Amino acid sequence: MWALVLVLTLSSCVSLSQANCEFEAIFNFGDSNSDTGGFYAAFPAQSGPFGMTYFKRPSGRASDGRLAVDFLAQALGFPYLIPYLQSIRSNYKHGANYATLASTVLLPNTSLFVSGLSPFSLAIQLNQMKEFKANVLKKGPHARLPARDVFGKSLYTFDIGQNDFTSDLASIGIQGVKQILPQVVSQIVETIKVLYAEGGRTFLVFNLAPIGCYPAFLTELPHNSSDLDQYGCMISYNCAVSDYNRMLREKLHETGTRLPNASVIYVDTHSVKLELFKHPSSHGLKYGTKACCGYGGDPYNYNKQLYCGSSRKIDGTLRTASACSDPENYVSWDGIHATEAANRIVTGAILSGFYFDPPFPLSKLCDLHPIV
């Protein structure tokens, strides 16, 4: 059924010349799962093999190619979202992307550079959005800015929270992380309320992925063999994610009922990604819990001391975490992020409408372009 839904969705897409959409822009808030180059615009450093599949060069994306937000923009007939922090040749006619790698919903109390987290928390991203709106209203019609009334005709998407869940997991454990999760949900809800007051009416909020299936966390997080399910995923960590997702779903539903004329949509990408990790071959892939780009071989090909694309001496020998030659066969690109192939499948499933709660008629509001 799941695969059939995806096939039907993609085959029903219309040609570019026929397309039209009630939405005029996308404004995205997120972390590395939807960062199209914001972090590396602020801190230039990315090198190959990132971007090898589609862009043929590093593009600021934590993948071998395009992200789900890229495919979503393509499906709606928009260009790929420009990072808000990218100053050169930027065109924001169809929205902006505030996401940056390692961003959190809650600003950490610890030193950002010690913790390895981004300074661009959700609160900072929201301030950037408000500043952007103020400039649009001030400058008026402009070749690289949207119309003044765009903010009520846009999709506001959220793909953030994974770093709040994982950054302290090894040190404080599942129970410790669970203590902060209600604050994470509350901050997302409060951000939606502010954007609603700014004119936003349509919000798509992606839930958290099954981190218990990711090669990096399978390598780094404490667990024993009894905690692994038949697919090699960590049961306890995935259950904690499911608890968070249920909380998020309930709060978003409650928020949607209290905001007149608003659509607050919970998007269950977790179910799609879990399906890919458990049954990769059913969706044209080969490897679920093994990273394409990394070092260490089977079973996970991940070593936190040698991240994708880097080199260092291990036991006196220079080693490089190189990429596989066939990322189109992998769910995981670098142990933490998805391949372009997985992102394409996830987006196709989203566009089917079966993963929206409450149901949202995106395909009726927009003629969907094929994602290729």
Side-chain angles (χ1 to χ4, degrees):
M1 175 64 179
W2 186 83
L4 179 61
V5 166
L6 178 55
V7 170
L8 290 176
T9 300
L10 297 183
S11 64
S12 66
C13 294
V14 298
S15 69
L16 296 177
S17 61
Q18 296 173 304
N20 62 79
C21 187
E22 291 194 12
F23 301 108
E24 296 180 1
I26 301 175
F27 294 101
N28 181 68
F29 304 84
D31 53 31
S32 56
N33 292 301
S34 59
D35 180 0
T36 54
F39 185 87
Y40 289 106
F43 308 104
Q46 194 183 42
S47 61
F50 289 90
M52 60 181 278
T53 294
Y54 181 77
F55 299 97
K56 308 302 180 185
R57 58 177 175 78
S59 66
R61 292 158 172 82
S63 179
D64 61 308
R66 292 166 289 182
L67 309 178
V69 69
D70 292 313
F71 288 118
L72 178 60
Q74 182 185 103
L76 297 181
F78 302 145
Y80 298 143
L81 283 186
I82 300 294
Y84 177 76
L85 295 172
Q86 181 176 304
S87 59
I88 300 175
R89 296 188 302 275
S90 294
N91 188 325
Y92 299 107
K93 271 287 188 184
H94 296 287
N97 192 0
Y98 303 98
T100 65
L101 181 150
S103 286
T104 52
V105 174
L106 305 176
L107 185 64
N109 293 322
T110 55
S111 168
L112 293 167
F113 293 103
V114 171
S115 64
L117 298 174
S118 168
F120 302 104
S121 67
L122 183 57
I124 300 299
Q125 294 180 28
L126 175 61
N127 285 340
Q128 291 173 333
M129 172 69 201
K130 292 163 74 174
E131 178 69 12
F132 177 83
K133 180 185 176 184
N135 280 312
V136 169
L137 296 181
K138 179 180 179 180
K139 293 180 182 300
H142 190 280
R144 295 188 178 184
L145 293 176
R148 288 190 176 100
D149 64 352
V150 73
F151 302 101
K153 302 176 180 179
S154 299
L155 277 177
Y156 295 82
T157 55
F158 295 78
D159 192 354
I160 192 168
Q162 182 167 309
N163 294 312
D164 296 87
F165 193 98
T166 61
S167 59
D168 292 323
L169 199 51
S171 59
I172 66 177
I174 293 174
Q175 295 307 314
V177 168
K178 280 185 174 182
Q179 300 301 311
I180 70 165
L181 296 183
Q183 300 172 51
V184 175
V185 172
S186 293
Q187 186 63 40
I188 291 173
V189 167
E190 289 305 310
T191 303
I192 290 172
K193 291 178 180 178
V194 172
L195 290 170
Y196 177 84
E198 295 286 335
R201 290 297 180 266
T202 307
F203 308 92
L204 303 184
V205 184
F206 293 17
N207 63 5
L208 289 191
I211 66 146
C213 299
Y214 280 66
F217 304 124
L218 281 162
T219 302
E220 295 179 5
L221 295 178
H223 65 282
N224 53 51
S225 58
S226 64
D227 193 31
L228 297 179
D229 64 19
Q230 66 186 99
Y231 306 102
C233 297
M234 295 182 290
I235 299 169
S236 58
Y237 296 99
N238 278 350
C239 285
V241 170
S242 295
D243 290 343
Y244 168 84
N245 285 341
R246 279 192 292 271
M247 187 190 317
L248 178 66
R249 183 175 186 169
E250 291 169 1
K251 290 297 182 182
L252 292 177
H253 176 75
E254 177 184 321
T255 303
T257 61
R258 295 183 177 181
L259 299 179
N261 303 315
S263 295
V264 181
I265 312 301
Y266 171 88
V267 186
D268 185 16
T269 54
H270 175 278
S271 292
V272 186
K273 293 176 180 178
L274 185 61
E275 166 69 16
L276 292 183
F277 277 118
K278 288 184 173 181
H279 304 106
S281 61
S282 297
H283 307 284
L285 308 174
K286 292 182 180 179
Y287 307 102
T289 57
K290 180 179 179 179
C292 164
C293 185
Y295 174 79
D298 292 329
Y300 307 124
N301 196 38
Y302 181 85
N303 186 320
K304 67 179 181 180
Q305 295 181 322
L306 199 57
Y307 187 58
C308 173
S310 66
S311 298
R312 66 179 298 171
K313 282 189 175 182
I314 297 179
D315 297 329
T317 302
L318 185 65
R319 305 290 187 183
T320 299
S322 56
C324 63
S325 61
D326 58 340
E328 69 277 5
N329 288 320
Y330 287 73
V331 175
S332 176
W333 161 243
D334 56 7
I336 302 173
H337 308 100
T339 58
E340 174 175 294
N343 283 322
R344 182 189 292 108
I345 294 171
V346 169
T347 311
I350 293 169
L351 295 175
S352 73
F354 280 79
Y355 298 90
F356 291 142
D357 182 33
F360 184 68
L362 184 59
S363 61
K364 294 182 180 179
L365 297 173
C366 299
D367 295 332
L368 300 178
H369 296 195
I371 57 174
V372 296

